Amino acid sequence: MRLQYVGAVAVLSVGILTIPSIDVEPRTSVAIPPPGRSSDAVMPTGLIGRLLVPPVVPAGPPTPTPLALADLEPHGSSVTTKVITVEDVSGVRRQVTVSELRLDKEGRSASRVIAADTDEPARGGNSSAAEPATLVIPSDLDGDSVGRLAYLLGEVGGNIPIVALFVRNGSAEDPNAGLLIGNGGTGAAGVAGGTGGLLFGNGGAGGAGADGGAAGLLGRGGDGGDATAENPLAGHGGRGGWIAGDGGDGGDGLSDAGVGLPGTGGRGGDAGLLGGKGGRGGAGGGASAQIGDTITGGAGGHGGNAGLLGAGGQGGAGGVARDTRANSGSETVIVEGGAGGQGGDGVLNAGVGGAGGAAYTSGDDKAGDLAVGGPGGAGGSAQASSSGRGGAGGDAVATEGDALGGTGGQGGTSTRAGDGGAGGIGGAGTSATGTGAGGTGGAGGSGATLGDGGRGGDAGYGEALDESGIAEGGTGGAGGLGGAFARGGDGGRGGAAIGGSQESVGGDGGLGGDGGFGGLGGDGGDGASPGGQGGEGGSPGGRPGGDNGGDG
């Protein structure tokens, strides 16, 4: 009798045992067993190949010194069982269960194999259905070459004993990646994301209210988790790779955080030393619940700092504040949008400040209520280039009472060389029955040696929807101071006044910044119509701005 198999397969011929050759054709793609297949079907070496079954031929003449099974049975033996997929010369694939008895005698060994062939094509009835499933890389790694490679190697290495200690991806049970390579896993609620492998690998995202994991030498930091009622503080973004890699984004703050809970967004993670962007600051939580006599949105998180060649992260936006209560009696309330977060610092490129949150009063409000837009965040500081622009002030809308747009954020200050950052624009203020006032533009940042001062931000407009109301444009931001031998920044334009009574007036232009040693002053900003005055020029030699929109 004769029986032929593959894997650790033998040909048994009337008690004489010979072992045929096996042709293994390596694959160029990495694969994993199809769903439902036993992991025993994977070859013990961890490699996946194509096993070609040789045609059935009569066994050749016995070897000069054949090894009979009966000679070996009294000695040491071992039994293994596994399921394998084989393909014959016609291309049909079958699943075979193999039980192998291996016997040893004086350094010589042979195997007795008992196999159960289903005699049916493997899963699906054709060759392509039995192909191992292709490893799918998560879509959030698109464009991330380091993260994709770390994931790919981590999935393969995680299935190989011993190797998994050094190369694997983090899991729910153990979020940290292997010691050398792999991406960190996502943390459960309140649990920080896993760290990436030391050589390369991304940090994992933090669970609700938890920090993102740090990357290895190369890789992106994990994002911080958003705040929840059970975990009310937003998580911070994880650090990017020590050498290069973006920092993770901060989590968003909790809405209606309550007394003692700020609703602040998480801080963005810092980038790598040589390259990478700082993480974005998380947005502040919205607010609609009254605490005392105010309703205040949460502040945006600080943007992460950049490395040598990267850019600082943008500050998070302030939370929106909205009065939704049914007001009664003489009770009044102040509704304030959250402040924007500060942009991250950088060597060559600094981050932009986050926008201030908007503020809205409801239709049941009283004449004494006030809506105030949140201030924009300051721009980040750069060491050898222009610093970051300040964030825009938040808009304010009051159905009754007054509305005041938020102040624009201040431009970043350059520390060694480069221009100061421009100030952010002021927010708009709109009132249905009272005064609508635009917010002041943000001041320009100071320049470093040979660096000009930043331009002041333009002011927001004021709008009164009722003819008896008053509209007031905001004042333009002041220009920043110039560095040595450099010019001061120009002042921002005043904000326009729209609608309302004859008492409505446009905003004044901002002051020009003074020049540094050996430098000229900046020009003043133009006043807005109607009636806004131009700002004074900086010293020495700065020109004043024009009145009434530059026409007078």
Side-chain angles (χ1 to χ4, degrees):
M1 59 180 180
R2 183 184 303 108
L3 197 58
Q4 181 170 349
Y5 306 94
V6 290
V9 181
V11 173
L12 182 62
S13 179
V14 193
I16 303 300
L17 189 65
T18 61
I19 300 178
S21 62
I22 298 177
D23 182 13
V24 178
E25 177 186 343
R27 295 186 182 274
T28 57
S29 62
V30 177
I32 59 176
R37 281 281 303 281
S38 168
S39 61
D40 291 339
V42 180
M43 293 173 60
T45 60
L47 300 177
I48 296 177
R50 183 179 182 187
L51 304 182
L52 302 178
V53 181
V56 178
V57 296
T63 59
T65 56
L67 185 63
L69 292 173
D71 296 333
L72 296 170
E73 288 179 355
H75 302 276
S77 64
S78 61
V79 178
T80 58
T81 301
K82 60 184 177 181
V83 178
I84 62 174
T85 298
V86 300
E87 178 181 319
D88 60 22
V89 292
S90 64
V92 176
R93 296 183 173 223
R94 306 177 188 279
Q95 289 184 329
V96 180
T97 301
V98 177
S99 296
E100 178 187 73
L101 173 63
R102 182 170 296 278
L103 303 164
D104 298 298
K105 178 181 181 181
E106 298 177 354
R108 304 167 65 191
S109 63
S111 298
R112 174 189 296 160
V113 181
I114 302 174
D117 192 339
T118 63
D119 209 22
E120 296 177 359
R123 295 195 184 277
N126 56 55
S127 175
S128 60
E131 285 284 353
T134 301
L135 179 62
V136 178
I137 299 177
S139 60
D140 60 0
L141 295 177
D142 289 349
D144 181 359
S145 57
V146 172
R148 289 171 66 88
L149 179 59
Y151 179 84
L152 183 65
L153 296 178
E155 287 297 289
V156 175
N159 290 309
I160 304 175
I162 305 302
V163 176
L165 177 64
F166 302 95
V167 182
R168 73 168 185 276
N169 294 317
S171 63
E173 295 75 19
D174 183 5
N176 292 329
L179 296 178
L180 299 180
I181 297 173
N183 294 332
T186 300
V191 178
T195 57
L198 176 61
L199 295 182
F200 60 90
N202 297 342
D211 297 343
L217 294 176
L218 299 171
R220 185 185 186 278
D223 295 338
D226 296 342
T228 63
E230 294 76 19
N231 298 277
L233 300 180
H236 302 311
R239 171 189 53 78
W242 283 108
I243 295 177
D246 297 344
D249 296 337
D252 293 342
L254 178 66
S255 295
D256 289 330
V259 178
L261 298 175
T264 303
R267 188 187 190 282
D270 292 339
L273 295 176
L274 297 182
K277 298 182 297 183
R280 175 190 59 80
S288 59
Q290 181 178 352
I291 300 177
D293 60 354
T294 62
I295 299 173
T296 306
H302 194 302
N305 297 327
L308 177 62
L309 300 178
Q314 180 174 348
V320 174
R322 190 184 303 271
D323 183 11
T324 59
R325 65 199 170 90
N327 206 342
S328 61
S330 60
E331 183 181 9
T332 60
V333 69
I334 300 173
V335 184
E336 299 176 327
Q342 180 176 333
D345 298 335
V347 177
L348 297 178
N349 297 286
V352 176
Y360 301 91
T361 62
S362 74
D364 291 327
D365 290 344
K366 303 304 179 184
D369 288 346
L370 175 63
V372 182
S381 295
Q383 298 184 28
S385 184
S386 297
S387 291
R389 183 182 71 252
D395 295 338
V397 178
T399 51
E400 285 192 62
D402 299 332
L404 175 61
T407 301
Q410 180 174 342
T413 298
S414 294
T415 56
R416 298 187 180 182
D419 300 338
I425 62 174
T430 301
S431 175
T433 59
T435 298
T440 301
S446 299
T449 303
L450 303 179
D452 295 340
R455 183 184 184 278
D458 293 339
Y461 66 84
E463 182 177 19
L465 302 180
D466 190 275
E467 293 182 354
S468 63
I470 299 175
E472 298 178 351
T475 302
L481 300 176
F485 306 104
R487 185 176 182 273
D490 295 336
R493 294 177 60 90
I498 303 173
S501 69
Q502 294 182 349
E503 298 181 34
S504 298
V505 61
D508 295 338
L511 303 175
D514 293 339
F517 175 79
L520 297 175
D523 297 338
D526 293 338
S529 177
Q533 303 295 308
E536 296 181 2
S539 177
R543 296 176 298 179
D547 297 337
N548 197 34
D551 297 329

